[in-house]
Amino acid sequence: MKGMDVRKIVVVVEDVEAARTALKWALHNLLRSGDFLTLLHVFSSSSNSSSMEKLRLLRLNGFQLALSFKDICNNSFFNTNVEIIVTKGDQEGGTIAALVREMGAFALVVGLHHQSFLYKLAMAHSNITSKFNCKVLAIKEPAARPARRTRAMPLPVDSSTSMDFSQIEIATLEVPDTPPPKVPYTICPNPYAVIWKWRKSRRKRTS
């Protein structure tokens, strides 16, 4: 698109529903025509002496997971510019932060869950946005509610935490049952059916 800069948006790929929700939110609320989307998956190994076969398997599983995220992109927008990055790193967000800075990303989109690396990073650093040099959008799913007829829509909420990343909750807008419209009672369907009778008023004579 002429006159509009191409933005790089990074979505963290994790095997949790919150990450898939974050991707869908980014596709429908953040991504513009011509933007570049990076699906980033970072896997970690429990031991430094992990065999090459184990690392290859972890990388393959991560790539297959990222491909399933790419399918979500293709189902939503056919011509989305998508790249996949799968790499080994830590689970505290250091590797993700370094890659995001290197790419010069416009925004980082993360599915927020109780084991999210953003919490670990926020406890270790007072200003985590400086670690990424971009906007950080954490997408959180709402708590389970009783089944009702609802319509999903993104809704920003205020966060009581002191963390300096934008927290957006995918809430549900309750749609109440609409009763059938009331038919107004017609007093007189035919205006000519009313016969007006004018009567001269009598005035009492005063003596």
Side-chain angles (χ1 to χ4, degrees):
M1 185 177 295
K2 294 183 179 180
M4 187 175 293
D5 295 334
V6 175
R7 306 180 305 178
K8 294 183 179 180
I9 298 171
V10 181
V11 176
V12 176
V13 174
E14 298 177 280
D15 194 11
V16 292
E17 195 59 32
R20 297 178 180 88
T21 301
L23 173 60
K24 295 174 184 177
W25 183 91
L27 290 171
H28 292 280
N29 297 276
L30 185 61
L31 199 69
R32 304 181 313 193
S33 176
D35 285 348
F36 202 82
L37 181 64
T38 299
L39 302 177
L40 174 60
H41 176 73
V42 176
F43 65 91
S44 64
S45 178
S46 58
S47 174
N48 294 329
S49 60
S50 298
S51 64
M52 294 297 296
E53 180 63 23
K54 183 178 180 180
L55 291 177
R56 188 191 69 83
L57 183 60
L58 289 172
R59 188 181 301 274
L60 178 61
N61 291 338
F63 188 75
Q64 290 175 341
L65 178 62
L67 283 177
S68 68
F69 275 60
K70 186 177 181 180
D71 289 339
I72 297 176
C73 299
N74 294 335
N75 292 334
S76 300
F77 300 97
F78 181 72
N79 291 324
T80 306
N81 299 319
V82 182
E83 72 169 350
I84 293 176
I85 297 179
V86 178
T87 185
K88 180 184 176 182
D90 62 273
Q91 295 297 300
E92 285 71 37
T95 303
I96 294 177
L99 289 172
V100 168
R101 289 197 307 268
E102 182 180 346
M103 288 185 284
F106 168 78
L108 173 68
V109 182
V110 182
L112 194 63
H113 51 92
H114 65 284
Q115 293 183 343
S116 176
F117 70 91
L118 284 179
Y119 290 129
K120 302 174 184 177
L121 204 61
M123 289 187 292
H125 302 276
S126 59
N127 183 11
I128 65 172
T129 51
S130 63
K131 299 286 293 182
F132 298 97
N133 291 337
C134 69
K135 296 181 179 180
V136 181
L137 301 174
I139 311 302
K140 182 181 70 173
E141 290 187 306
R145 295 181 180 181
R148 296 187 63 178
R149 191 172 66 178
T150 58
R151 180 177 61 194
M153 69 173 294
L155 178 67
V157 296
D158 294 330
S159 174
S160 59
T161 65
S162 59
M163 300 178 185
D164 56 349
F165 56 82
S166 300
Q167 182 172 320
I168 300 173
E169 181 175 357
I170 305 300
T172 54
L173 177 64
E174 295 184 358
V175 181
D177 295 332
T178 305
K182 295 182 179 180
V183 179
Y185 178 74
T186 305
I187 299 177
C188 182
N190 186 358
Y192 297 101
V194 179
I195 300 176
W196 293 94
K197 186 176 181 180
W198 179 78
R199 189 174 183 180
K200 188 176 180 180
S201 61
R202 296 181 179 179
R203 294 184 179 179
K204 294 182 179 180
R205 294 182 179 180
T206 57
S207 56

